[in-house]
Amino acid sequence: MALTSYISDQIWLCTYPIRLAGTKFEARMTTIRLASGLVMLHSPCHITASIAEEISAIGSVGHIVVPGNFHHLHASSAQIAFPGASTWICPGIERKRPDLKYDGILGDVAPADWAGEIDQVLVQGTRLMREVAMYHRASQTLILVDLIENFTDATPNTGGALKLWFKYVLRMWGKPGPAPEYRMGWNDRNSLAMSLRRILAWDFRKIVLSHGDLIDQDAHGVAAAAWSKILGFDDLSAREA
């Protein structure tokens, strides 16, 4: 594992392996340097000594963000590596991980520590999944974990079982869309659609996501199409919205 620059002097990424229900694929940590010089770790990977050294070269870690209820496994290792950082969690993590100490629960309003730099929306309306979407204004980058997954033939380090599942069962191979757990857990589509419309109001040009290929072309159209069934329009009108 190693950090790679995504937006010069602002955003770095690190992919790491995941095994889940017999499948293997990768997840992605996003590292952001704020205007204050402090660093935010978004959906942290397991923090090894070498990764900690790379991160520390960027700046002092001030914030550890646990943005979704399926993205908490390595938060503790980040806290151990950077004990002076504040930890912010998605609602529900406090029940799922009562052992995890935290400083604040994320919602629709950004904390003062990054208000004006990063906007956020708490995505509601699902039983199984919760997520706080973030928008990095300076680079016009939308940062997600599970609201969009984007597995294709070009995606590295994906096992055959995952390809079989996504290509022939879910029909999501090469078609960006919400994680399967979202589809299984919609219970209030109106609330979910309201959250997604707030995200689509942002002027993002790129999407960093946890699983699959980054989206650097027609990002706004891709997101609208990925969420079209929830929003109630077809793919064509989504891309024209």
Side-chain angles (χ1 to χ4, degrees), residues 1-7 10-16 28-33 39-59 61 82:
M1 296 189 302
L3 290 181
T4 59
S5 176
Y6 181 63
I7 303 295
Q10 297 180 73
I11 298 177
W12 294 257
L13 306 176
C14 178
T15 57
Y16 58 97
R28 185 177 283 113
M29 174 180 73
T30 304
T31 300
I32 305 165
R33 181 159 57 199
V39 171
M40 172 193 288
L41 300 183
H42 177 279
S43 188
C45 63
H46 176 67
I47 305 298
T48 63
S50 61
I51 288 293
E53 185 175 352
E54 290 185 55
I55 294 169
S56 296
I58 294 170
V61 175
F82 305 107

Side-chain angles (χ1 to χ4, degrees), residues 101-229:
K101 295 181 179 180
Y102 62 92
D103 299 278
I105 298 179
L106 298 168
D108 287 328
V109 178
D113 304 81
W114 58 81
E117 292 184 65
I118 299 175
D119 298 326
Q120 58 192 58
V121 166
L122 171 60
V123 179
Q124 304 186 75
T126 68
R127 295 192 311 272
L128 299 178
M129 304 286 281
R130 285 196 176 184
E131 177 170 342
V132 177
M134 291 187 162
Y135 172 57
H136 186 253
R137 292 186 184 183
S139 65
Q140 295 181 287
T141 302
L142 176 62
I143 303 171
L144 307 175
V145 282
D146 297 312
L147 269 172
I148 297 178
E149 295 183 339
N150 185 31
F151 293 110
T152 72
D153 288 336
T155 308
N157 301 317
T158 54
L162 181 96
K163 185 172 184 178
L164 178 68
W165 181 249
F166 270 70
K167 192 168 189 176
Y168 298 107
V169 180
L170 298 171
R171 306 288 181 181
M172 284 179 61
W173 196 259
K175 297 179 180 179
E181 293 86 353
Y182 271 112
R183 301 179 180 204
M184 294 185 286
W186 293 335
N187 64 325
D188 185 347
R189 286 202 180 200
N190 288 334
S191 294
L192 180 56
M194 286 178 62
S195 299
L196 297 180
R197 288 191 182 100
R198 288 191 60 196
I199 296 170
L200 290 172
W202 292 332
D203 186 24
F204 56 90
R205 305 300 174 89
K206 298 173 283 294
I207 304 174
V208 171
L209 36 75
S210 282
H211 310 299
D213 304 340
L214 301 172
I215 299 170
D216 293 326
Q217 301 292 325
D218 188 27
H220 204 276
V222 170
W227 302 329
S228 60
K229 290 183 179 179

